Structures are given as structure tokens and as C-alpha cells.
């Protein structure tokens, strides 16, 4: 079993702090704009850290095809993605 299923990732903790949205909300079926944006951001950052689409989908409880769509939307969230990666690496 992959570590992605076992514990909350630092990626998710950082996104929770940045966006003020909990992991539970991100994993729910809610399609609210802020939650959807956090879910997309989580997918993009996880992909940058080497996780595969199906792993991300399993963690977020989303179909891998949905994750693929999120990844195609990366240009819209590029600054948030860079800020998240900076926070994860300790640059803040």
C-alpha cells in the first residue's frame, strides 16, 4: 500500500492552511468553487512531487480522469502551486 493512503500528506496540510479548507471538505463531493480550486491545487502539487494521477485520484476519492482534467487546468493555478511548493520547502 502506498504512503499516500496511510497518512495526511504535508501537501494537504499546506493547502489546508493556505485555503482554509479541510482535507475532509476536499475529499467530499462538494463542487463549491473554493473547494474545487483547493482540490485542483492539491492534484497539481502532488503531481509535481511525483505522484501518479491514479494515486492522487484514490487519495482525493476522485476518478483518475477527473484528476487529468485538473492537471490540464494547471496554468490557472500556477502562482498558487508555486507558493504551495515554496511553503513545503520552507521558503514561505
Amino acid at each position: 500500500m502506498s504512503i499516500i493512503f496511510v497518512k495526511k500528506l504535508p501537501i494537504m496540510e499546506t493547502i489546508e492552511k493556505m485555503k482554509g479548507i479541510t482535507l475532509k471538505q476536499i475529499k467530499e463531493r462538494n463542487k463549491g468553487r473554493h473547494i474545487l480550486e483547493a482540490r485542483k491545487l492539491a492534484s497539481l502539487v502532488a503531481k509535481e512531487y511525483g505522484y501518479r494521477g491514479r494515486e492522487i485520484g484514490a487519495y482525493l476519492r476522485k476518478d483518475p480522469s477527473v484528476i487529468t482534467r485538473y492537471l490540464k487546468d494547471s496554468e490557472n493555478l500556477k502562482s498558487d502551486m508555486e507558493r504551495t511548493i515554496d511553503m513545503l520547502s520552507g521558503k514561505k
Side-chain angles (χ1 to χ4, degrees), residues 21-70:
I21 297 171
T22 66
L23 177 59
K24 182 181 178 197
Q25 289 174 301
I26 292 171
K27 287 184 171 186
E28 289 175 350
R29 296 183 62 106
N30 190 321
K31 293 184 181 180
R33 190 176 129 236
H34 296 297
I35 293 172
L36 183 59
E37 186 177 291
R39 197 177 295 137
K40 287 179 180 182
L41 182 59
S43 300
L44 294 169
V45 175
K47 185 69 171 176
E48 285 291 314
Y49 274 80
Y51 290 102
R52 294 182 176 159
R54 66 184 142 101
E55 291 175 311
I56 299 166
Y59 187 75
L60 296 178
R61 298 183 189 152
K62 299 294 170 198
D63 189 271
S65 65
V66 172
I67 303 303
T68 300
R69 265 187 276 142
Y70 292 167

